[in-house]
């Protein structure tokens, strides 16, 4: 399923590491609660800069100066500030849940999970025991068939290897969920890292080899053996990278749309032994499925023959070790951090144990923790307030579409139809997930992670060949993010984002429309960006555009792609990297559209009654400042370099300046003149 995220970090709750700290107690983490975050921050503004020359610097200059990246982060922006705040709220909940006393079943479960994660002496004592059964199974592999059986077992425990198998709504009939096979199996964040021959990519591969070697040594292998194993891992993964479709090509749904008979894919790639894999997958029987990238399976089918079985076994040992590093003793966790955190992201220190344990609980039991979070923080009135704004922004989109000169009435009618059927999910799901079958033991962190991962894999596989469950949420309630799902045609706003700096109960409309209003407009626009426009009101891949309108859209989108391709993402001693305007096209379209829609909605509210300036700023100025300020951030060069390759979102500087350059309303609000940098000569406008 295609998920489109508003925000800057899609892997917030993905990684869990480990560091020495004392056993759990409600008083163990000493850090103080962070301050409440202001919605509109006058002290962030750098008045030495002309807003028409560099609006991002104007809105955020002092914030950037006064908010250096904390040692345990590689990126620090307003999203991170709020996510950090939420971590403290969640820690309070978990500290209470793990303390002795009367607890509900949910409190008991998340409390035990968190306590097991915090119990480092127990984790040190167990050493590599949690790896043993998997490593023994891999050692016992004697044939290609055994290999696939073992990969199937790893997948069921949530350990990625070779390819992925899961579910998705049928692209042509989203009411039905089907099985899906996809490429996979590489460890580095993108195929580019294996294939590009510039100096920085070569350095990364060298450091990766050293890291893999070190991890094998920690697992007990001799240095010379481990060094050779690392080379094998890199060679196997390079083969998988070569067979993989690149990120930009994957944005086009047509490139991912390959319905097949199960028997066809078995024949296409016989060495994968897929009949056996499917039978052991825990999925219901199916006759047809989608194969996202058939070429991957064709190419890797050859590699399964040409690469010796012993090399595949080394690869599987590596994937197990890499995936389970966070539940192992400190020496594994530290080495994992040295490569992924320090080298790849420029992070100085690992996050304290408690933060990683809160994130791990959110990742593995997130809808249980989320239920407790919502009870404590959100409530029904939060849902209603947000819904009112969503309706106002939807009304703005009707107005906006109606005024478009490049779109025919025929296509407009279809656009209205799609707009009117978008489902709004706000705060938290209607029905909470039932984790009662997940066994959580207070003395077995590694086992808890495996059992919770296996539960989630099976839960997803149970959806295959069933009506699509449109009520199932992907994001947990404390998540600071929002998304649009093209197959579901829905927009989702978890409770975690519905607070300052995005939404302040006591803030004026201009500030709230510039914050959460733009977020809402951004998600709505995703239904009509370069990917979203290819799905209809029912979430089906269906062309509802006239030929001329489609061409007009593509011409306008190309303007946006070219604009952002000219922006520099990072420039350091390793060279300059520009943004990939095609990779970031959907997000940039959504930023520009969201800004436009929220402004129209704001004018409907404040236009009727004259509003005096507050703090010296008119409502339009406050609106654009609030928008700019949600993107204030500092990022390490290493992280900026990585994000330029993998992130479909532009960095904060360009989310701000890229969008306002195209906005006549912005230029009017600040009195900008033609020829100034924030007035683009040929402004791009899709929506
Ligand atoms: Zn987005």
């Amino acid at each position: 399923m295609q998920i489109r995220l508003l925000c800057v970090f899609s892997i917030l709750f993905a990684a869990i590491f480990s560091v020495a700290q004392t056993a759990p107690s409600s008083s163990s983490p000493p850090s103080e609660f962070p301050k409440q975050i202001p919605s509109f921050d006058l002290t962030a503004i750098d008045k030495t800069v002309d807003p028409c020359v560099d609006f991002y610097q104007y809105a955020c200059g002092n914030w950037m100066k006064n908010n250096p990246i904390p040692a345990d982060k590689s990126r620090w922006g307003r999203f991170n500030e709020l996510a950090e705040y939420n971590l403290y709220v969640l820690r309070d909940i978990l500290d209470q849940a793990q303390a002795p006393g009367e607890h509900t079943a949910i409190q008991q479960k998340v409390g035990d999970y968190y306590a097991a994660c915090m119990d480092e002496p127990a984790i040190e004592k167990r050493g590599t025991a949690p790896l043993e059964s998997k490593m023994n199974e891999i050692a016992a592999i004697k044939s290609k068939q055994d290999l696939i059986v073992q990969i199937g077992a790893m997948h069921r425990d949530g350990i990625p290897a070779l390819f992925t198998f899961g579910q998705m709504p049928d692209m042509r009939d989203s009411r039905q969920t089907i099985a899906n096979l996809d490429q996979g199996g590489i460890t580095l964040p993108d195929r580019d890292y294996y294939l590009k021959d510039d100096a920085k990519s070569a350095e990364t591969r060298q450091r990766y080899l050293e890291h893999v070697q070190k991890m094998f040594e920690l697992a007990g292998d001799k240095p010379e053996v481990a060094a050779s194993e690392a080379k094998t891992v890199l060679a196997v993964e390079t083969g998988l990278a070569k067979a993989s479709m690149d990120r930009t090509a994957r944005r086009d749904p047509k490139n991912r749309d390959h319905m097949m008979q199960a028997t066809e894919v078995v024949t296409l790639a016989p060495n994968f032994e897929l009949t056996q894999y499917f039978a052991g997958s825990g999925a219901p029987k199916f006759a047809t499925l989608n194969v996202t990238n058939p070429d991957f399976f064709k190419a890797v089918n050859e590699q399964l023959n040409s690469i010796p079985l012993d090399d595949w076994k080394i690869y599987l040992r590596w994937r197990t070790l890499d995936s389970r590093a966070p539940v192992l003793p400190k020496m594994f966790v530290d080495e994992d951090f040295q490569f992924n955190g320090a080298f790849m992201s420029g992070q100085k220190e690992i996050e304290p144990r408690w933060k990683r344990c809160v994130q791990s609980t959110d990742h593995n039991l997130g809808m249980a923790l989320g239920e407790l979070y919502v009870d404590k923080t959100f409530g029904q009135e939060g849902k209603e307030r947000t819904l009112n704004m969503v309706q106002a922004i939807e009304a703005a989109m009707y107005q906006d579409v109606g005024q478009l000169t490049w779109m025919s009435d025929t296509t407009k009618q279809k656009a209205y139809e799609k707009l009117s059927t978008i489902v709004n999910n706000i705060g938290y799901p209607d029905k909470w997930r039932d984790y009662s079958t997940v066994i959580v033991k207070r003395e077995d962190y590694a086992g808890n992670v495996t059992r919770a991962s296996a539960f989630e894999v099976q839960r997803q596989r149970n959806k295959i060949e069933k009506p699509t469950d449109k009520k199932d949420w992907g994001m947990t309630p404390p998540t600071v993010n929002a998304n649009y799902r093209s197959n579901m045609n829905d927009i989702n706003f978890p409770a975690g984002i519905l607070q300052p700096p995005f939404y302040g109960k006591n803030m004026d409309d201009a500030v709230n429309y510039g914050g959460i209003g733009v977020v809402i407009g951004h998600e709505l626009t995703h239904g009509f960006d370069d990917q979203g426009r290819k799905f209809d009101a029912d979430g089906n891949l269906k062309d509802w555009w006239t030929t001329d309108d489609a061409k007009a859209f593509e011409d306008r989108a190309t303007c946006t792609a070219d604009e952002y391709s000219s922006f520099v993402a990072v420039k350091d001693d390793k060279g300059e990297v520009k943004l990939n305007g095609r990779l970031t096209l959907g997000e940039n379209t959504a930023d520009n559209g969201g800004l436009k829609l929220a402004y129209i909605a704001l004018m409907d509210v404040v236009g009727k009654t004259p509003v005096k300036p507050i703090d010296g700023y008119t409502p339009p100025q406050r609106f654009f400042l609030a928008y700019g300020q949600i993107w204030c951030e500092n990022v390490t060069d290493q992280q900026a370099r990585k994000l330029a390759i993998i992130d479909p979102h532009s960095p904060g500087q360009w989310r701000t300046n890229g969008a306002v350059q195209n906005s006549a309303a912005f230029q009017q609000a600040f009195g900008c003149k033609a020829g100034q940098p924030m007035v683009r000569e040929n402004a791009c406008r899709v929506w």
Side-chain angles (χ1 to χ4, degrees):
M1 163 188 338
Q2 269 316 95
I3 292 184
R4 323 291 304 291
L5 300 173
L6 158 87
C7 106
V8 277
F9 43 89
S10 50
I11 49 166
L12 171 66
F13 291 130
I16 332 135
F17 308 95
S18 165
V19 77
Q21 215 168 24
T22 49
S25 86
S26 54
S27 61
S28 60
S31 336
E32 60 186 35
F33 220 86
K35 64 180 171 22
Q36 190 82 35
I37 302 157
S39 280
F40 185 82
D41 191 354
L42 285 168
T43 66
I45 298 171
D46 177 0
K47 291 202 172 177
T48 67
V49 176
D50 182 343
C52 299
V53 171
D54 184 345
F55 185 60
Y56 178 69
Q57 182 64 32
Y58 180 80
C60 294
N62 280 348
W63 187 96
M64 289 189 284
K65 202 168 70 188
N66 296 326
N67 290 275
I69 306 168
D72 67 349
K73 299 286 185 296
S74 57
R75 179 182 206 173
W76 187 243
R78 312 306 305 284
F79 278 78
N80 308 86
E81 274 187 311
L82 181 51
E84 189 83 348
Y85 183 83
N86 286 349
L87 282 182
Y88 282 78
V89 175
L90 294 172
R91 184 186 66 179
D92 272 2
I93 292 169
L94 288 167
D95 270 341
Q96 280 174 28
Q98 65 145 1
E102 287 276 303
H103 296 304
T104 65
I106 289 173
Q107 281 175 320
Q108 190 69 45
K109 188 151 286 187
V110 298
D112 286 347
Y113 183 97
Y114 180 69
C117 178
M118 290 297 287
D119 189 356
E120 287 199 283
I123 290 167
E124 291 297 324
K125 210 170 142 199
R126 289 194 70 193
T128 55
L131 290 176
E132 264 166 31
S133 64
K134 274 276 175 287
M135 291 304 186
N136 290 341
E137 285 166 23
I138 294 168
I141 291 173
K142 295 213 162 46
S143 65
K144 289 278 159 63
Q145 209 151 30
D146 290 351
L147 180 77
I148 298 299
V149 169
Q150 182 55 30
I151 288 173
M154 287 166 63
H155 286 178
R156 286 200 306 278
D157 283 345
I159 301 173
L162 193 63
F163 65 95
T164 68
F165 173 68
Q167 54 77 30
M168 64 183 280
D170 184 341
M171 278 208 243
R172 291 191 194 80
D173 180 6
S174 68
R175 292 168 304 175
Q176 187 70 12
T177 291
I178 58 170
N180 186 57
L181 265 187
D182 201 353
Q183 66 190 35
I186 59 174
T187 306
L188 292 171
D190 190 271
R191 72 195 283 279
D192 272 10
Y193 287 99
Y194 297 88
L195 307 180
K196 286 178 87 171
D197 53 13
D198 59 286
K200 179 66 189 167
S201 302
E203 183 200 356
T204 300
R205 286 193 291 275
Q206 184 52 41
R207 292 292 292 265
Y208 180 53
L209 278 173
E210 291 161 16
H211 166 59
V212 177
Q213 176 181 344
K214 184 86 192 291
M215 291 289 276
F216 274 125
E217 284 179 39
L218 292 176
D221 295 351
K222 290 203 171 73
E224 61 276 15
V225 175
S228 148
E229 288 170 331
K231 284 189 187 128
T232 300
V233 167
L234 182 61
V236 169
E237 293 188 353
T238 302
L240 301 179
K242 279 183 186 154
S244 298
M245 196 192 310
D246 75 69
R247 256 169 224 282
T248 307
R250 282 175 69 87
R251 286 185 55 74
D252 188 341
K254 284 205 177 69
N255 293 337
R256 305 189 306 266
D257 175 32
H258 305 283
M259 255 331 236
M260 286 187 180
Q261 296 292 319
T263 49
E264 267 179 274
V265 65
V266 169
T267 314
L268 176 82
N271 295 334
F272 277 83
E273 304 286 352
L274 286 169
T275 306
Q276 189 155 1
Y277 179 90
F278 293 148
S281 69
K285 274 207 160 71
F286 54 88
T288 56
L289 77 165
N290 187 60
V291 182
T292 307
N293 180 11
D295 288 345
F296 176 85
F297 288 87
K298 262 190 253 176
V300 177
N301 188 62
E302 294 308 311
Q303 292 170 27
L304 277 165
N305 250 355
S306 59
I307 295 173
L309 192 59
D310 281 344
D311 289 4
W312 284 113
K313 289 164 73 169
I314 290 166
Y315 166 73
L316 293 194
R317 283 182 65 216
W318 163 246
R319 295 300 284 166
T320 304
L321 198 49
D322 178 62
S323 162
R324 288 300 186 249
V327 304
L328 294 175
K330 184 175 183 298
M331 58 184 186
F332 288 90
V333 172
D334 285 350
E335 174 53 31
D336 191 40
F337 170 76
Q338 282 308 324
F339 181 72
N340 288 304
F343 174 71
M344 291 296 285
S345 308
Q347 194 175 323
K348 289 196 175 69
E349 286 172 12
I350 194 165
E351 283 187 307
R353 181 89 194 167
W354 74 265
K355 289 186 192 174
R356 287 176 277 132
C357 288
V358 171
Q359 288 163 0
S360 174
T361 316
D362 178 79
H363 184 68
N364 281 323
L365 297 172
M367 289 299 176
L369 180 57
E371 192 173 345
L372 302 174
Y373 172 82
V374 165
D375 281 348
K376 185 167 173 163
T377 61
F378 195 57
Q380 191 58 32
E381 83 285 355
K383 215 162 184 162
E384 277 158 26
R385 282 198 316 263
T386 313
L387 193 58
N388 289 339
M389 282 187 87
V390 171
Q391 283 160 353
I393 312 267
E394 281 177 349
M397 187 148 196
Y398 276 98
Q399 270 186 54
D400 178 55
V401 171
Q403 289 162 2
L404 293 178
T405 52
W406 56 270
M407 187 186 259
S408 69
D409 283 343
T410 316
T411 307
K412 280 183 184 177
Q413 288 309 318
K414 297 282 187 189
Y416 293 143
E417 192 187 320
K418 179 163 182 179
L419 188 54
S420 69
T421 51
I422 290 178
V423 173
N424 305 311
N425 295 319
I426 294 163
Y428 51 93
D430 292 342
K431 194 166 167 273
W432 291 109
R433 194 167 297 162
D434 176 8
Y435 289 101
S436 56
T437 58
V438 182
I439 294 166
V440 172
K441 297 180 184 167
R442 212 163 166 115
E443 70 288 356
D444 182 15
Y445 179 51
N448 294 341
V449 169
T450 299
R451 287 185 291 272
S453 304
F455 167 82
E456 180 58 16
V457 169
Q458 189 58 49
R459 198 180 74 81
Q460 295 296 342
R461 290 184 179 177
N462 288 344
K463 294 176 179 179
I464 294 171
E465 296 294 298
K466 303 231 171 59
T468 299
D469 180 3
K470 296 198 174 190
K471 293 282 176 196
D472 191 42
W473 279 47
M475 290 178 289
T476 65
T479 306
V480 183
N481 212 332
N483 71 17
Y484 170 78
R485 299 186 292 184
S486 49
N487 290 310
M488 308 283 190
N489 197 27
D490 66 10
I491 51 180
N492 304 281
F493 306 96
I497 197 172
L498 301 172
Q499 46 185 332
F502 297 92
Y503 185 91
K505 273 185 204 171
N506 306 320
M507 293 313 292
D508 53 306
D509 286 325
V511 167
N512 282 335
Y513 275 84
I516 197 71
V518 179
V519 175
I520 294 165
H522 172 110
E523 300 310 338
L524 277 178
T525 307
H526 271 318
F528 306 87
D529 71 13
D530 59 317
Q531 289 189 93
R533 77 171 191 87
K534 294 178 177 167
F535 293 82
D536 68 6
D538 296 319
N540 295 330
L541 186 60
K542 194 171 165 191
D543 192 357
W544 47 271
W545 294 63
T546 66
T547 313
D548 287 351
D549 291 340
K551 169 143 194 349
F553 177 95
E554 293 300 337
D555 289 348
R556 284 163 182 273
T558 296
C559 177
T560 306
D562 292 346
E563 176 191 353
Y564 284 79
S565 286
S566 72
F567 297 149
V568 174
V570 62
K571 192 176 178 178
D572 61 14
D573 57 348
K574 306 282 178 191
E576 177 186 280
V577 180
K578 284 191 169 148
L579 292 184
N580 175 350
R582 285 284 161 191
L583 175 65
T584 56
L585 179 55
E587 297 301 333
N588 298 331
T589 305
D591 280 345
N592 280 269
L595 191 64
K596 175 105 193 296
L597 299 178
Y599 188 78
I600 294 172
L602 174 67
M603 287 302 107
D604 281 349
V605 177
V606 299
K608 291 165 194 154
T609 46
V611 180
K612 283 191 189 141
I614 306 174
D615 310 320
Y617 291 105
T618 65
Q621 288 173 334
R622 288 172 71 77
F623 169 86
F624 286 107
L625 275 168
Y627 174 68
Q629 289 192 344
I630 64 175
W631 300 119
C632 299
E633 65 177 6
N634 285 307
V635 188
T636 64
D637 288 343
Q638 293 93 323
Q639 183 70 356
R641 190 171 282 278
K642 182 168 85 184
L643 293 174
I645 297 170
I646 64 170
D647 193 347
H649 307 86
S650 298
Q653 177 188 6
W654 299 118
R655 295 191 81 156
T656 306
N657 285 354
V660 301
Q661 283 178 33
N662 294 320
S663 168
F666 165 79
Q667 290 142 16
Q668 203 181 3
F670 285 92
C672 304
K673 304 275 182 302
Q676 289 190 288
M678 293 297 106
V679 184
R680 197 169 178 80
E681 196 182 344
N682 297 307
C684 300
R685 184 188 160 194
V686 180
W687 297 104

